[in-house]
Amino acid sequence: MATMTLDDLDSRLDGAARAWFHEALDEAARTTDGPQDPTGPRTIPPWETRFASAGRHCGREHADSVRTHLLHAARADAATLTRLYRQGTAAERRAVLLALHHLAPDPADGVPLVEDALRTNDTRLVAAAVGPYAAHHLPPHSWRHALLKCLFTGVPVDTADGLARRARGDTELARMLTDYAAERTAAGRPVPADLHRVLALTSPTEES
């Protein structure tokens, strides 16, 4: 899920897509969020329109990286990130989630967006939600449920950034995993192999 560098993107985009991308970056860098008339319609900055159409112009395989660079260039604040997430498609929401650990000015600003993504069954959103931002800022209760969501939806637990660090010695997580395994077994359903790996990680390690 790593964002490609500008040089990598330039080398992979064709001429038309590369020109479109750099125009979009220039627009994002020039953007200013001045006061708007609360009684009138909101003026949408051109770069936000480009954010929405990145996949069409640069290809779906590059859209995450293109959108992330646009967010950086625009110095998107919490209000902008929240608006783009709430109003965006699943692909646009994914890009916001992937950029959170670089952009959220206050660690608490992105938590509601991550928790919203974890309430969906969209595996691409779930995978994006358990990245570096969640590893550092998601509260313990929410992080534990994020791991259960990965197990439930089939998202590999290795996708969860900081897995070993956050799982180590977490007895409550161990209890939740054990209960989930028991429920699956009682219902005649297989227990995900990843569950046993995470359960092993919850054992405390000796200090060196």
Side-chain angles (χ1 to χ4, degrees):
M1 288 188 193
T3 298
M4 284 187 281
T5 66
L6 287 173
D7 287 342
D8 284 341
L9 268 176
D10 279 346
S11 69
R12 297 182 185 219
L13 297 174
D14 62 29
R18 188 162 53 248
W20 182 94
F21 175 48
H22 282 276
E23 288 174 2
L25 284 176
D26 289 342
E27 288 177 350
R30 292 194 303 267
T31 192
T32 55
D33 290 328
Q36 298 203 23
D37 180 0
T39 64
R42 175 179 174 270
T43 301
I44 300 176
W47 78 268
E48 290 191 23
T49 301
R50 298 217 188 221
F51 180 87
S53 60
R56 185 165 69 252
H57 290 278
C58 297
R60 295 172 65 180
E61 69 274 26
H62 304 310
D64 283 340
S65 292
V66 168
R67 289 183 172 120
T68 298
H69 282 295
L70 289 180
L71 291 172
H72 278 279
R75 300 173 299 282
D77 60 13
T80 300
L81 292 170
T82 299
R83 181 178 64 252
L84 291 174
Y85 178 89
R86 298 294 182 192
Q87 298 178 357
T89 63
E92 292 160 43
R93 291 183 173 198
R94 172 183 160 86
V96 171
L97 293 168
L98 292 174
L100 278 178
H101 68 293
H102 291 304
L103 291 170
D106 183 321
D109 289 335
V111 169
L113 305 186
V114 171
E115 291 179 337
D116 180 83
L118 291 170
R119 285 192 288 269
T120 75
N121 288 321
D122 186 323
T123 55
R124 297 189 73 210
L125 287 182
V126 172
V130 294
Y133 180 86
H136 288 92
H137 303 301
L138 206 61
H141 178 76
S142 297
W143 190 81
R144 294 177 188 120
H145 280 279
L147 283 189
L148 287 178
K149 188 72 174 197
C150 288
L151 294 170
F152 179 76
T153 58
V155 172
V157 293
D158 286 335
T159 305
D161 198 84
L163 173 63
R165 174 180 61 82
R166 291 207 60 167
R168 185 177 301 119
D170 191 336
T171 56
E172 176 61 16
L173 176 60
R175 182 195 66 76
M176 293 170 66
L177 292 170
T178 301
D179 287 350
Y180 181 64
E183 291 172 5
R184 299 279 298 185
T185 300
R189 296 175 180 174
V191 176
D194 274 354
L195 185 147
H196 299 292
R197 290 185 53 241
V198 180
L199 189 58
L201 291 173
T202 62
S203 299
T205 57
E206 295 184 0
E207 294 292 336
S208 57

